[in-house]
Amino acid sequence: MEFAELVIIFAVTITASNIVSRILPVIPAPLIQIFLGVILGLTEWGESISFEPELFLVMIIAPLLFREGEKADVTSILKNFDTILFLAFGGVILTLLGVGMTLSFLLPSLPFAACFAFGAALGPTDAVAVSSLSGRVNIPKKAMHILEGEGLLNDASGVTAFQFALAALITGSFSAVNAGVSLVISSLGGALVGFLLVWVKRKVINMIEKASARDVTGYLLIELLLPFLAYVLAEVFGVSGIISAVVAGILQASSFRKITIFDAELSSLSNSTWTTVTFTLNALVFIFLGIELTQVFSPVWENGLYSNWMLILVILLISVMLFVIRFVSITAFYLFKGGLTRFKEELNEILILTFGGVKGTVSLATIFILPLTINGMVFHQRSLLLFLTAGVILVTLVVGILALPILTEEQEINGTDLNALMILEEVVESLRQEAKELPKNSKEYLATEAVIENYQERIRELYFEDLTEDEKQEVQEIQALILSIERDGLDESYRSGKLTVNGYRFYSRFLSRFERSITGEILSFIGFWLLFVRRVIRIILHPKMFWERRKREQQTIVTKKDISDVRDVYHKNTQLIIESLDNLTDVYGDVMIQFFIEQRKAQEMRMMSKNFFSTMMIQQETLFTKKMLRGYYLERKVVDEYEVAEKITTFSANDYRKNINLLESYTMNKPADASPLRFAYSRKKRELQTKKLKQQVHDK
């Protein structure tokens, strides 16, 4: 039961981190996850969690690095292989020496070998952490490839160096020659195990295909097993499990791809599955870091052996030393490689590589290998080294988060995709031409109009993406304010009897579409408050009205009078919204306020039009799905024309087609008539048909 509870708690924590990171995009997800990990670590459940380094490496780090290897751009990594090789091996050795001697100087009571073990643990950079940071900043491709390649390779060198430092700590002897030979053997052996495992996997797949036993789920399970098998088998043979997992991932991605429906389905399922798995494991990495911070904090912080301020100073100095060593070593390598002239041109890249070398949970997992006892005596400094490692990891992560945006802020940011806009506008124009040939007020005409509205919404979303972050936040706040006024007016109209419960639910359904368009974007604090907290307050203030609506939920017939009442309420709300927006000109600017006022007036005109509600209702019918598929056909046709005319590249065209495929698949899988709102028109039609049938039976 305890295990089940922990699984549920971790699942809730990971989900919460995702939600909070969306609500507060300014704060990086890793920091949110570390914070939640700290909170979890302070609870009874967190205190019961024990950290097993080997289990952590095989169950979390191995699959993450396997996926990183699978996604890695091998060609680009090979182009920068000399730099990657230097950082992955030379950088680790320099860090071991520099950090080890610095710690020995700051805390002389620590054994010399323990200081070097500490330096070795902090040698590897964290590919997982770098990947998390790259999602927030626009790191240049070359620098990103170097950081990714380094993160994939330096774990083996770091762990091997740590093992030799640990052996020196236990036995008191050390051999540099043996360490170097062991490192080479461990790396090459791990690569060989990864290669052989993928080769065996392909043979197994061939046997399955010959037996006509192909199955998407089975193939996916085999792929998911690869990183675990690669790591475990490599460790069994005494070589690097990390290198084995990385090589297996690279070779898995380089396998020959057949263009069949089966392979396409497998690829789609694999990508979606790995996306979820990767996010979950990434979150677990940082949550575990937060938990470990709480577990190693108290024993060290409350111990009077070292001053707390001294410990903080040591963490900061070690962190500074890490970045200094990294900057100096990379600078020396670039000077040796390209000379002073190129060095000046590549200074920004050097700084990005310096601050991109953040440490992560691989370092934490490595330092946890330190034994509790040495030669039968308790190793009291173990908790201190764990505390220092966790502190340095946190500091380097924060520094990387703060420094990288500054170094990459001048990178070009893509604006609105004008080609995508033109494609969508051409589709809208084609649909309008088709609508002109259809009888007015016919179902096909209404369905086509609904499809046009759908495409216009996509066009608006593309325009929205071109806004700056500040402008987006202002737009979201204004939208949330409008929605709040709208709902307050709706509730007041219902309480005063101006709307029936069916009219209220009809209006609410209309508002929910607008609300989803807001919450689909990242909300600010104010937006979140207006959308969520105020709704809770309304329920608290008017519980009777809330539960009354719930009880009468089944009675959802909307009459023509209800629609007329909805129009009246909408008109009244429009006046209130325009009046409120006029008072906000000094806050948000005249241009933005006028945009929303004009947009609201246009929406009111549509609301008052004869076909507005019919267009909404038609979206619940199969005909709407059919017309949406027609729109996707036209969109593909325009994409093909643009590609042939070389207005867009083949890569861009493929991206557009991929999006169309996703929308098409979603549209076909979305059930028609799924809405809980049953409209009066269809209901009355059924009643008339039933009445007519009864009359015919009676006449007979």
Side-chain angles (χ1 to χ4, degrees), residues 247-302:
V247 170
I250 293 173
L251 294 177
Q252 169 69 14
S254 62
S255 59
F256 178 74
R257 295 177 60 185
K258 300 176 183 177
I259 309 299
T260 64
I261 294 177
F262 177 85
D263 289 280
E265 185 180 354
L266 176 61
S267 176
S268 176
L269 181 60
S270 174
N271 287 332
S272 59
T273 302
W274 271 112
T275 299
T276 304
V277 170
T278 302
F279 173 80
T280 302
L281 296 180
N282 266 315
L284 281 175
V285 164
F286 295 107
I287 290 171
F288 270 120
L289 177 55
I291 293 172
E292 290 309 315
L293 281 172
T294 62
Q295 292 186 353
V296 301
F297 180 82
S298 295
V300 176
W301 197 256
E302 296 173 359

Side-chain angles (χ1 to χ4, degrees), residues 419 423 638-639 642-650 652-653 656:
N419 289 320
I423 290 170
V638 176
V639 169
Y642 272 49
E643 184 182 11
V644 171
E646 297 184 351
K647 293 181 179 179
I648 57 176
T649 64
T650 301
S652 297
Y656 295 145

Side-chain angles (χ1 to χ4, degrees), residues 18 35 143 158 160 188 205 285 310 369 474 545 567 599 688:
N18 184 44
F35 176 74
T160 303
L188 294 178
I205 293 296
V285 164
M310 179 63 182
I369 301 175
E474 289 180 355
M545 182 179 70
R567 285 195 172 106
Q599 187 183 54
L688 289 173

Side-chain angles (χ1 to χ4, degrees), residues 199-262:
W199 180 80
V200 171
K201 175 252 180 184
R202 291 175 182 172
K203 293 297 181 182
V204 171
I205 293 296
N206 289 335
M207 291 173 59
I208 293 174
E209 290 180 348
K210 288 179 181 179
S212 300
R214 289 198 312 174
D215 178 66
V216 170
T217 304
Y219 278 30
L220 179 61
L221 290 175
I222 291 174
E223 182 180 341
L224 292 174
L225 279 173
L226 279 180
F228 307 108
L229 290 175
Y231 186 92
V232 171
L233 288 175
E235 291 296 320
V236 167
F237 289 107
V239 293
S240 173
I242 295 294
I243 293 293
S244 178
V246 170
V247 170
I250 293 173
L251 294 177
Q252 169 69 14
S254 62
S255 59
F256 178 74
R257 295 177 60 185
K258 300 176 183 177
I259 309 299
T260 64
I261 294 177
F262 177 85

Side-chain angles (χ1 to χ4, degrees), residues 72-294:
D73 187 343
V74 179
T75 304
S76 299
I77 289 177
L78 291 176
K79 286 181 180 178
N80 304 288
F81 195 66
D82 53 348
T83 307
I84 292 172
L85 206 61
F86 169 76
L87 291 174
F89 293 94
V92 168
I93 295 172
L94 291 173
T95 301
L96 180 152
L97 296 173
V99 171
M101 288 188 290
T102 302
L103 183 62
S104 179
F105 173 78
L106 294 173
L107 300 175
S109 61
L110 284 174
F112 207 59
C115 294
F116 281 118
F118 174 76
L122 290 175
T125 56
D126 195 335
V128 175
V130 171
S131 177
S132 299
L133 292 179
S134 66
R136 304 187 67 253
V137 294
N138 190 20
I139 298 177
K141 289 184 178 180
K142 181 183 176 183
M144 194 64 217
H145 291 317
I146 293 173
L147 289 171
E148 287 177 343
E150 178 193 5
L152 292 175
L153 295 179
N154 63 9
D155 293 326
S157 58
V159 172
T160 303
F162 177 85
Q163 289 172 340
F164 276 95
L166 182 59
L169 177 64
I170 296 173
T171 64
S173 62
F174 173 75
S175 171
V177 175
N178 290 340
V181 172
S182 177
L183 177 60
V184 173
I185 293 175
S186 178
S187 300
L188 294 178
L192 180 61
V193 171
F195 171 80
L196 291 175
L197 182 64
V198 174
W199 180 80
V200 171
K201 175 252 180 184
R202 291 175 182 172
K203 293 297 181 182
V204 171
I205 293 296
N206 289 335
M207 291 173 59
I208 293 174
E209 290 180 348
K210 288 179 181 179
S212 300
R214 289 198 312 174
D215 178 66
V216 170
T217 304
Y219 278 30
L220 179 61
L221 290 175
I222 291 174
E223 182 180 341
L224 292 174
L225 279 173
L226 279 180
F228 307 108
L229 290 175
Y231 186 92
V232 171
L233 288 175
E235 291 296 320
V236 167
F237 289 107
V239 293
S240 173
I242 295 294
I243 293 293
S244 178
V246 170
V247 170
I250 293 173
L251 294 177
Q252 169 69 14
S254 62
S255 59
F256 178 74
R257 295 177 60 185
K258 300 176 183 177
I259 309 299
T260 64
I261 294 177
F262 177 85
D263 289 280
E265 185 180 354
L266 176 61
S267 176
S268 176
L269 181 60
S270 174
N271 287 332
S272 59
T273 302
W274 271 112
T275 299
T276 304
V277 170
T278 302
F279 173 80
T280 302
L281 296 180
N282 266 315
L284 281 175
V285 164
F286 295 107
I287 290 171
F288 270 120
L289 177 55
I291 293 172
E292 290 309 315
L293 281 172
T294 62

